[in-house]
Amino acid sequence: MKIALRIVVIALVVAAAVWLWGVFFPSADKVIRKRLAETARAASFDSSQSALSKMASAQRLQYFFATNVEINLDLPGHQARQMAGRDEIVQAALAARGSIESVKITFPDVMLTIAPDKQSATADVTAEVKISGDADLNPQEMKFELRKIDGHWLITRVETVQSLQKPEAAH
């Protein structure tokens, strides 16, 4: 009986050690997924937020991006837009908060490819965007490039992925 008890205690100690290791030293995959979810929450806003809260969340958004970030957006039904640097991201976020009542962004589908050196990664993401006054959810395929800078995973490049569309029939 003593041997069985010792084996159970050892198994519990090992399980607790493995769990604690995962909590204090999460994998790059887990950290990046969490970081992307936080980015989506920071980019989202709703009408119940005060103007000061909207401004603070727009400012907070910059900390998810590298200083020299490049963003290339080509969304269906909208003019293509390029941004470079954190300041442009903050300005665009502030402008959106001033002209749109609410935006909810989620990344329900993230496929990660982490470089062997564990210092860079690519995330192929499905972004779901719900804009106030728009009855439809607008899913968009996006590609994020991330780099580990000063111990933090920062987004260095974002671009929309153009999905294949069925060509219109000739008349």
Side-chain angles (χ1 to χ4, degrees), residues 62-128:
Q62 70 181 320
Y63 299 112
F64 295 97
F65 296 91
T67 54
N68 58 345
V69 63
E70 295 178 15
I71 298 180
N72 296 306
L73 300 175
D74 189 5
L75 302 169
H78 298 282
Q79 182 177 351
R81 174 139 191 213
Q82 289 79 35
M83 291 180 271
R86 288 178 171 173
D87 291 339
E88 279 194 55
I89 292 170
V90 171
Q91 293 306 315
L94 288 169
R97 283 158 170 76
S99 62
I100 300 171
E101 192 173 313
S102 67
V103 172
K104 170 100 171 127
I105 301 171
T106 58
F107 301 141
D109 186 26
V110 177
M111 293 185 57
L112 283 175
T113 305
I114 300 171
D117 66 358
K118 305 244 189 272
Q119 298 300 304
S120 63
T122 301
D124 294 307
V125 174
T126 300
E128 291 183 349

Side-chain angles (χ1 to χ4, degrees), residues 4 15-16 22 28 30 33 38 42-43 45 57 61 66 90 94 115 120 132 134 137 149 151 167:
K30 192 174 188 177
R33 288 177 189 279
E38 290 171 349
F45 58 93
S57 68
L61 192 58
V90 171
L94 288 169
S120 63
S132 61
D134 194 355
L137 191 63
I149 301 171

Side-chain angles (χ1 to χ4, degrees), residues 2 14 24 43 59 64 72 76 78 98 107 171:
K2 284 185 176 183
V14 169
F24 290 112
Q59 290 291 332
F64 295 97
N72 296 306
H78 298 282
F107 301 141
H171 297 291

